[in-house]
């Protein structure tokens, strides 16, 4: 019986898929699993590539671009495993680290979600967890993330130190996130209002609202070659981020929403209404 479904949502990610699928199959997890690619109507021949190059990978081809949240929901509905691992196409995930994640989750019954330590292609730690999104938490996260990305020594040292310790957190990154299906079912999966970005924070918030825990585990390590998916259409990615930000505040911090919209409008960043 398949105990783990590894879901990879793809949109024009053919070049990245070769790397992540090779990493998951060359040293495959020992836990019984299946790998499922949910393709969001890519225009780079991803479905044909998966069928021809990776016959052991199950393909779910959407007729339209559903976004990250709804595409994951589609994959969740079409699998029945006890555990679900969400993996970005621009990652390198070894089977041994998948097994470590499963072991960590199974050792702590009160934990619903666990995320690994994530590093970039140069081995520099990413801040892949944090406090619940709020104006102050966003500011703190942004300072740390941008300083880390720019290689500001004191900040890179802080982020590295933060990611060396396993801890209970409010959320972990959807770039690599393991969750129990029973918890997914309890919260109804991802909120489809989030096309791209903040859906992982929202999911973790829903899980915590049920009295369950979210864990960042410092032992498993995943490489995230981030940024590739947004290179081809940076403005569309920025718009998607701002829409999700507005949707998140409307749902979780409605009192702050008018201030956020005013700030974004002044900065010329208030997102267009999606078609």
């Amino acid at each position: 019986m398949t105990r783990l479904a590894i879901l990879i949502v793809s949109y024009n990610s053919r070049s990245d898929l070769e790397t992540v699928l090779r990493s998951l199959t060359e040293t495959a997890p020992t836990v019984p699993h299946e790998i499922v690619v949910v393709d969001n109507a890519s225009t780079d021949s991803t479905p044909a590539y998966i069928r021809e190059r990776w016959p052991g990978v199950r393909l779910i081809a959407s007729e339209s671009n559903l976004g990250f949240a709804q595409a994951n929901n589609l994959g969740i509905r079409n699998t029945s495993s006890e555990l679900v691992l969400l993996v970005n196409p621009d990652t390198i995930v070894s089977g041994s680290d998948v097994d470590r994640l499963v072991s960590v989750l199974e050792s702590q019954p009160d934990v619903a979600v666990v995320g690994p330590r994530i590093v970039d292609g140069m081995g520099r730690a990413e801040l892949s967890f944090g406090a619940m999104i709020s104006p102050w938490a966003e500011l703190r996260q942004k300072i740390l993330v941008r300083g880390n990305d720019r290689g500001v020594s004191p900040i890179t040292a802080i982020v590295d130190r933060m990611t060396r310790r396993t801890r209970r957190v409010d959320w972990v990154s959807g770039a690599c996130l393991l969750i129990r299906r029973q918890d997914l079912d309890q919260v109804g999966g991802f909120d489809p209002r989030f096309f791209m970005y903040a859906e992982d924070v929202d999911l973790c918030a829903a899980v915590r609202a049920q009295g369950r825990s979210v864990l960042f585990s410092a032992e498993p390590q995943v490489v995230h070659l981030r940024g590739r998916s947004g290179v081809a259409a940076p403005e569309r990615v920025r718009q998607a981020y701002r829409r999700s930000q507005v949707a998140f505040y409307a749902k979780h911090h409605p009192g702050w929403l008018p201030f956020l919209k005013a700030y974004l409008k002044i900065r010329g960043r208030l997102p267009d209404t999606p078609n």
Side-chain angles (χ1 to χ4, degrees):
M1 177 182 177
T2 299
R3 293 194 58 236
L4 172 69
I6 302 174
L7 301 185
I8 305 170
V9 171
S10 172
Y11 177 69
N12 291 338
S13 304
R14 176 173 169 172
S15 59
D16 289 323
L17 283 169
E18 177 73 24
T19 300
V20 67
L21 292 174
R22 194 185 314 121
S23 72
L24 286 165
T25 55
E26 287 184 347
T27 56
T30 60
V31 59
H33 67 281
E34 66 171 332
I35 301 174
V36 180
V37 172
V38 182
D39 185 69
N40 262 331
S42 293
T43 58
D44 63 352
S45 303
T46 291
Y49 161 75
I50 294 295
R51 293 185 184 104
E52 295 168 9
R53 174 71 177 83
W54 299 96
V57 171
R58 182 146 70 101
L59 173 68
I60 299 174
S62 173
E63 295 182 355
S64 61
N65 186 357
L66 301 174
F68 185 80
Q70 290 200 71
N72 270 308
N73 285 343
L74 179 61
I76 291 163
R77 288 196 302 270
N78 282 275
T79 55
S80 57
S81 58
E82 174 190 346
L83 306 173
V84 176
L85 177 66
L86 311 180
V87 175
N88 271 17
D90 55 354
T91 55
I92 300 173
V93 186
S94 72
S96 59
D97 283 312
V98 172
D99 287 335
R100 288 189 187 99
L101 279 170
V102 171
S103 178
V104 168
L105 187 63
E106 292 183 332
S107 70
Q108 303 194 51
D110 67 310
V111 172
V113 176
V114 61
R117 185 173 193 261
I118 297 179
V119 300
D120 64 17
M122 298 180 293
R124 182 170 56 197
E126 290 187 6
L127 190 56
S128 57
F129 61 88
M132 179 63 172
I133 288 179
S134 69
W136 316 123
E138 272 200 286
L139 178 61
R140 177 179 181 273
Q141 194 86 2
K142 190 173 293 184
I143 290 170
L144 290 173
V145 169
R146 288 186 177 177
N148 191 54
D149 289 347
R150 293 169 181 170
V152 178
S153 296
I155 293 181
T156 58
I158 290 170
V159 171
D160 186 78
R161 188 165 59 250
M162 290 174 67
T163 61
R164 295 289 182 181
R165 182 170 67 85
T166 295
R167 64 183 74 196
R168 304 292 172 104
V169 294
D170 285 349
W171 59 268
V172 292
S173 171
C176 186
L177 181 157
L178 179 66
I179 185 169
R180 303 179 197 268
R181 183 175 295 275
Q182 64 184 24
D183 290 295
L184 272 171
D185 291 344
Q186 186 70 27
V187 301
F190 284 95
D191 187 331
R193 283 176 286 185
F194 299 99
F195 183 85
M196 185 179 181
Y197 299 115
E199 66 287 312
D200 44 10
V201 183
D202 179 74
L203 177 70
C204 290
V207 165
R208 290 187 294 104
Q210 298 296 319
R212 307 283 285 152
S213 296
V214 177
L215 184 73
F216 167 77
S217 179
E219 292 304 317
Q221 181 167 291
V222 167
V223 177
H224 188 195
L225 306 172
R226 62 192 175 90
R228 295 187 182 189
S229 60
V231 170
E235 181 55 32
R236 183 168 61 182
V237 169
R238 281 193 289 269
Q239 287 282 324
Y241 169 76
R242 293 302 178 190
R243 289 190 193 110
S244 288
Q245 186 183 32
V246 169
F248 190 93
Y249 275 80
K251 179 177 180 178
H252 295 281
H253 304 297
W256 280 103
L257 185 59
F259 299 99
L260 173 63
K261 285 186 172 181
Y263 169 77
L264 293 176
K265 188 172 183 179
I266 291 169
R267 298 290 302 275
R269 296 176 182 177
L270 187 65
D272 298 332
T273 302
N275 296 325

